[in-house]
Amino acid sequence: MNVFYNKEGIGDVLLVQLQTETPEKIDPEQFGDITLIKDAEGKIAGFNVFNASSYTDLAGGQQVEVSEKLVTSLQNALAKNGVDFTLEVDFSPKFVVGFVEAKEKHPNADKLNVCQVAVGDEEKLQIVCGAPNVEQGQKVVVAKVGAVMPSGMVIRDAELRGVASTGMICSAKELALPNAPEVKGILVLSEDAETGSAFEVKA
């Protein structure tokens, strides 16, 4: 779940995104202060909360941190407006330290590599990476599916030249880190960085 609030830009409205993919069919339904947005299959893809500041404390102009307190406030807002829907939220970090276990050349693209990346708790991701400096044995920053980059881009499952890619290995510039180098390449962390641990990224 991703939550956005920009009072100056769009008013006192909280935008809640439940799916990483933009629904092909947007079919809104209004319930008081809640507008439900459904996909082509009728599943709730997201919702907007109008008069949002009356339901929860918010800071404007940025992505809102998804916390248990916020989810409780949103659940209460849904209930108060007659929406019978239970929020199921993954609170695990979306930016984590990864370990590149293997790197192979992409079969259909000379400048791409297919990496097998451990991200903790025996979880491994296959990530297609075009950075020239990616190598086996590195500790890197991985944006998992559902992560929102500082640019506003949402990380989704993808297929690059016929190869599945889940997540992204990030550069310092993509993470909006201070003094990020202009040269193309991923951010390589120190060897003592703990695989699977959260990496703080400011929205």
Side-chain angles (χ1 to χ4, degrees), residues 20-62:
T20 57
E21 298 294 334
T22 302
E24 294 181 7
K25 176 185 176 183
I26 298 178
D27 186 16
E29 286 185 53
Q30 194 73 33
F31 296 84
D33 284 334
I34 305 293
T35 298
L36 297 180
I37 300 168
K38 296 185 178 181
D39 61 17
E41 297 177 354
K43 296 179 181 179
I44 297 176
F47 58 92
N48 300 335
V49 183
F50 293 85
N51 301 309
S53 59
S54 66
Y55 294 100
T56 188
D57 295 327
L58 295 164
Q62 59 183 9

Side-chain angles (χ1 to χ4, degrees), residues 105-109 112 114 161 163:
K105 281 290 184 184
H106 192 294
N108 303 314
L112 297 178
V114 182
R161 296 287 187 92
V163 175

Side-chain angles (χ1 to χ4, degrees), residues 92-167:
S92 64
K94 294 295 180 284
F95 293 92
V96 298
V97 175
F99 177 70
V100 182
E101 293 188 339
K103 182 192 89 166
E104 296 180 353
K105 281 290 184 184
H106 192 294
N108 303 314
D110 292 339
K111 294 184 179 181
L112 297 178
N113 293 293
V114 182
C115 301
Q116 306 300 325
V117 186
V119 290
D121 294 331
E122 299 185 359
E123 182 183 5
K124 296 180 183 179
L125 303 177
Q126 177 171 285
I127 301 176
V128 177
C129 180
N133 65 327
V134 65
E135 294 292 346
Q136 181 178 348
Q138 290 173 333
K139 295 288 182 70
V140 296
V141 179
V142 174
K144 300 173 73 174
V145 170
V148 180
M149 303 299 294
S151 65
M153 179 179 71
V154 179
I155 301 300
R156 299 178 169 89
D157 281 316
E159 187 173 294
L160 301 176
R161 296 287 187 92
V163 175
S165 182
T166 301

